[in-house]
Amino acid sequence: MGSGFLDVIKPNLSIQIATLKLKNPVMTASGTFGYGEEYSEFFDVSRLGAIVVKGLSMKPKKGNPPPRIVETPAGLINSIGLQNIGIDHFLNEKLPLLLKFKTPIIVNFFGDTVDEFIKTAEILSTHKGIAALEMNVSCPNKEAGWRIFGTDPKILKEVVSRVRSATNLPLIVKLSPNVGDIASMAKIAQDGGADAVSLVNTFLAMAVDVKTRRPLLANIVGGLSGPAIKPIAVRMVWEVCKAVNIPVIGMGGIVTYKDALEFLIVGSKAIAVGTANFLNPFATIEILEGIEKYMVEEGITDINQLIGSLVIDYERTYNN
Amino acid sequence: MLQAGDNLDPLLKRPFSILDYDDELLYFLFKKKGKGTIYLSRINKGDVITLLGPLGNGWPAPQGEFIVIAGGIGIVPLMLLLKQHRNKAILFYGAKNENELLMLEEASKLVKEIYISTDDGSKGTRGLITEIFNDFLVSNSSCKDLTIYCCGSPPMLKAFSKLIREHNLSCYASVEEYMACGVGACLGCVVKVINEADSEGFHYKTVCKDGPIFNLKEIIWDQVF
Ligand SMILES: Cc1cc2nc3c(=O)[nH]c(=O)nc-3n(C[C@H](O)[C@H](O)[C@H](O)COP(=O)(O)OP(=O)(O)OC[C@H]3O[C@@H](n4cnc5c(N)ncnc54)[C@H](O)[C@@H]3O)c2cc1C
Ligand SMILES: Cc1cc2nc3c(=O)[nH]c(=O)nc-3n(C[C@H](O)[C@H](O)[C@H](O)COP(=O)(O)O)c2cc1C
Ligand code: FES
């Protein structure tokens, strides 16, 4: 296929995260791609590096009352409330369909308690076909006054290390960005046995209708995603990449291939596309093609040459 | 869903109903509200805009005569239904004032009977269209068996839900909610729907994929408007 010229210089885009081999670094961000089928009408989703599904819990979850979303300048605040069909329904009905796609399926999951995290991980691990688990620690902890798991170093350590013992699948810990020092949280995840970390999840946010003086979301607060968060996400991913040895999956506001390149250059091995899927159902594929074209133009033959290739001329100005 | 331009603000496409179509064109009719519709109103002939669709379900086909209730811009998704089932509908059409009674002439040609109301009395009866309909039911109780097709503002639908339940009428309504993906992936656009199999008696359904048309009796409104 294609011209012989391009065939010869077709760059290598494959990367590896622990034992997981991906044909390219472009993944979907959990909660923005449903269970894959929603977007398979638009393009061949098998072309993606991996599909990350909507966050799952032991039992189905209804989620928050509407309105659940509000648009802010270049951003989207959502308070879906982790609505999901539960792991039983997922494993019986959705996973068989997902496994028809020729790309690794990464299952995002969460729990209300540490035990629920463990049980969910155990059940998911017994099913053939799941390529990796991504644990979402940006959810509230029932046993700690509904404080977010991923914002408390002690709890983060406990939940990661215990889930680690419960699964043999590659384990990705999806960090909460709503912390003071993201690098130290990433280290905790690494020390707890994570095979990789992914970031950023959404930033806690709020919007008010000035006419009615009421919050625009029924849940009052929600998580901000989209282009508005990208520069903060790039900074956090850069800090984490410097702090840990395990692979980092970068995301937050990626809309174009150039956005994706920023994350790769600061050191993330893979990237995930979230809100951009809503703006353009073909976003992931266009980003993938854009990265490939950029590599050809820049004469980069292997994506690993690009990953972490950030050049800093005045290192001393950074006080780390 | 439609979007003008490819800048990042506004970020999301906005949902619109298809007013009409022919071999070459899709027709839309929309009201300027905020950024999304203001940008769409500025496009010129030859400009390229983004369209995602058609999305979601459609009206169940009416059997024989039927009733249509429209509030203002809510007439839009009902026009094709009226066109496809000419002279079968009794239309109740209400708006704030005469200027907001869009497509009135076109609609009146497609229906068997028409009742009009405006909030300020500038056209038709002064008052809310749901009240006009209520009065109509009192003197035309045989019409209670006809299926109702309805679209209007959330407060109108909420008021109308009550009436539907009181009189035990059968009514389909096109519902609005903020949308992001339009394809059932983000779960952002939900409404609360009765579900007897559920321990709490409800579940959430997406307006973009499961809707926008729902059996009005099944919707639970607990939002503050
Ligand atoms: C299925 C469906 C079909 C629709 N068809 C039409 C149509 O044919 N013609 C038409 O004019 N409009 C239609 N609408 C409504 C239209 O989508 C909104 O008016 C539009 O999204 C407003 O966008 P904006 O950026 O101009 O305003 P924004 O700045 O987003 O909002 C302006 C105001 O409108 C309200 N609003 C915005 N979007 C919604 C929404 N989805 N639900 C409830 N309130 C909202 C907000 O409360 C705000 O006060 C439809 C909506 C749905 C869900
Ligand atoms: C509607 C919506 C639902 C989301 N659901 C989940 C989820 O279930 N689990 C999770 O770990 N992250 C979830 N996220 C976070 C995204 O996966 C991603 O981390 C975040 O949106 C930042 O990326 P973006 O700016 O590209 O969207 C959700 C985001 C959005 C917008
Ligand atoms: S808009 Fe995303 S599920 Fe309806």
Side-chain angles (χ1 to χ4, degrees):
Chain A
M1 275 212 305
S3 73
F5 174 68
L6 267 178
D7 285 346
V8 175
I9 55 161
K10 206 172 170 55
N12 172 38
L13 274 99
S14 63
I15 54 135
Q16 189 161 350
I17 291 170
T19 53
L20 183 64
K21 291 196 175 93
L22 306 185
K23 57 181 167 282
N24 67 64
V26 180
M27 324 193 321
T28 62
S30 174
T32 64
F33 209 70
Y35 299 103
E37 50 187 349
E38 290 84 351
Y39 286 90
S40 62
E41 290 176 32
F42 294 97
F43 64 92
D44 178 11
V45 296
S46 297
R47 289 177 64 195
L48 295 170
I51 293 175
V52 184
V53 300
K54 172 72 186 162
L56 291 161
S57 49
M58 283 286 281
K59 296 262 158 60
K61 242 191 153 74
K62 281 208 179 84
N64 289 327
R68 288 178 171 185
I69 49 176
V70 56
E71 185 178 324
T72 54
L76 170 70
I77 312 179
N78 87 78
S79 63
I80 308 300
L82 296 166
Q83 177 180 343
N84 77 92
I85 55 177
I87 52 173
D88 287 345
H89 188 148
F90 171 78
L91 292 169
N92 296 330
E93 317 258 324
K94 300 287 180 183
L95 186 61
L97 298 174
L98 276 163
L99 292 177
K100 289 191 181 138
F101 303 131
K102 291 185 188 67
T103 187
I105 303 303
I106 299 177
V107 174
N108 181 290
F109 73 102
F110 68 95
D112 283 347
T113 62
V114 174
D115 281 342
E116 235 179 83
F117 259 104
I118 294 164
K119 271 196 206 123
T120 311
E122 278 172 353
I123 296 171
L124 290 170
S125 304
T126 59
H127 275 260
K128 280 216 176 68
I130 297 174
L133 297 182
E134 179 179 61
M135 58 188 285
N136 173 11
V137 294
S138 294
C139 59
N141 180 352
K142 195 174 170 179
E143 294 157 328
W146 300 106
R147 256 194 85 180
I148 304 298
F149 282 94
T151 61
D152 182 326
K154 257 170 78 188
I155 289 182
L156 181 65
K157 191 171 183 167
E158 187 196 347
V159 72
V160 172
S161 56
R162 291 188 54 198
V163 169
R164 170 71 290 168
S165 324
T167 181
N168 290 320
L169 286 171
L171 179 65
I172 304 161
V173 176
K174 182 160 178 184
L175 301 170
S176 165
N178 300 307
V179 295
D181 182 2
I182 190 81
S184 71
M185 300 312 255
K187 272 192 227 154
I188 288 170
Q190 173 176 266
D191 295 345
D195 293 306
V197 288
S198 56
L199 69 153
V200 297
N201 210 316
T202 54
F203 290 86
L204 207 53
M206 180 170 173
V208 176
D209 183 331
V210 294
K211 235 178 171 172
T212 63
R213 300 191 207 171
R214 285 177 168 78
L216 280 158
L217 294 174
N219 189 53
I220 305 172
V221 297
L224 181 64
S225 65
I229 69 169
K230 194 196 72 180
I232 315 177
V234 172
R235 186 267 298 172
M236 287 188 158
V237 168
W238 175 64
E239 286 177 354
V240 166
C241 288
K242 288 193 299 174
V244 298
N245 311 315
I246 52 176
V248 174
I249 301 163
M251 74 191 93
I254 297 176
V255 175
T256 66
Y257 77 95
K258 282 188 186 158
D259 300 330
L261 289 171
E262 285 193 52
F263 283 88
L264 294 169
I265 290 168
V266 300
S268 55
K269 269 213 157 173
I271 58 100
V273 179
T275 303
N277 295 304
F278 309 155
L279 320 186
N280 170 11
F282 304 98
T284 45
I285 284 306
E286 287 173 12
I287 288 165
L288 173 60
E289 286 169 354
I291 295 172
E292 200 166 342
K293 192 162 165 264
Y294 168 88
M295 287 173 67
V296 171
E297 280 165 10
E298 297 291 316
I300 301 165
T301 51
D302 189 322
I303 190 106
N304 290 295
Q305 296 164 352
L306 185 68
I307 293 165
S309 61
L310 182 73
V311 180
I312 293 178
D313 293 321
Y314 302 100
E315 184 101 53
R316 267 168 298 152
T317 58
Y318 294 98
N319 207 357
N320 263 326
Chain B
M1 292 175 94
L2 296 175
Q3 187 179 35
D6 57 1
N7 51 351
L8 298 177
D9 186 32
L11 193 67
L12 303 165
K13 289 182 270 296
R14 303 291 194 254
F16 297 99
S17 313
I18 295 170
L19 175 71
D20 201 357
Y21 65 90
D22 56 34
D23 289 347
E24 283 173 12
L25 294 171
L26 283 175
Y27 296 85
F28 294 94
L29 177 66
F30 63 87
K31 200 167 157 182
K32 261 198 276 183
K33 267 196 156 174
K35 274 186 193 154
T37 46
I38 289 171
Y39 286 10
L40 275 169
S41 72
R42 290 190 189 144
I43 57 170
N44 295 308
K45 199 173 173 182
D47 287 353
V48 177
I49 63 165
T50 313
L51 179 146
L52 179 68
L55 306 166
N57 63 3
W59 301 107
Q63 311 295 325
E65 272 186 27
F66 60 104
I67 291 170
V68 169
I69 302 189
I73 192 80
I75 190 74
V76 178
L78 294 159
M79 285 303 286
L80 269 176
L81 182 78
L82 295 177
K83 205 175 158 185
Q84 285 158 358
H85 304 271
R86 275 171 206 261
N87 302 324
K88 291 269 165 58
I90 306 171
L91 171 64
F92 292 83
Y93 188 10
K96 262 199 203 107
N97 53 49
E98 189 176 4
N99 291 338
E100 302 213 354
L101 283 169
L102 305 158
M103 307 299 295
L104 181 59
E105 206 181 310
E106 292 83 347
S108 46
K109 285 184 198 147
L110 299 171
V111 299
K112 202 176 141 221
E113 276 176 64
I114 183 163
Y115 297 84
I116 297 164
S117 78
T118 49
D119 296 356
D120 64 358
S122 53
K123 179 108 186 169
T125 315
R126 182 195 211 106
L128 297 174
I129 199 66
T130 44
E131 290 163 4
I132 312 289
F133 175 68
N134 200 13
D135 296 344
F136 169 85
L137 272 189
V138 175
S139 42
N140 297 273
S141 56
S142 63
C143 290
K144 281 191 176 180
D145 296 333
L146 300 182
T147 304
I148 303 164
Y149 297 80
C150 167
C151 183
S153 65
M156 172 185 150
L157 288 186
K158 197 181 174 186
F160 201 51
S161 294
K162 225 176 124 203
L163 199 129
I164 293 298
R165 289 206 177 103
E166 280 167 13
H167 294 278
N168 196 25
L169 307 173
S170 146
C171 176
Y172 295 104
S174 183
V175 176
E176 281 191 19
E177 211 14 276
Y178 290 98
M179 290 187 185
C181 71
V183 296
C186 74
L187 306 178
C189 65
V190 298
V191 286
K192 209 175 191 176
V193 174
I194 292 173
N195 175 17
E196 259 135 39
D198 181 82
S199 60
E200 291 170 278
F202 74 93
H203 57 180
Y204 289 114
K205 286 202 155 188
T206 59
V207 172
C208 68
K209 198 175 177 183
D210 304 323
I213 291 154
F214 291 93
N215 183 338
L216 189 55
K217 237 184 261 171
E218 291 179 1
I219 294 187
I220 305 169
W221 305 96
D222 54 9
Q223 293 155 257
V224 194
F225 290 106

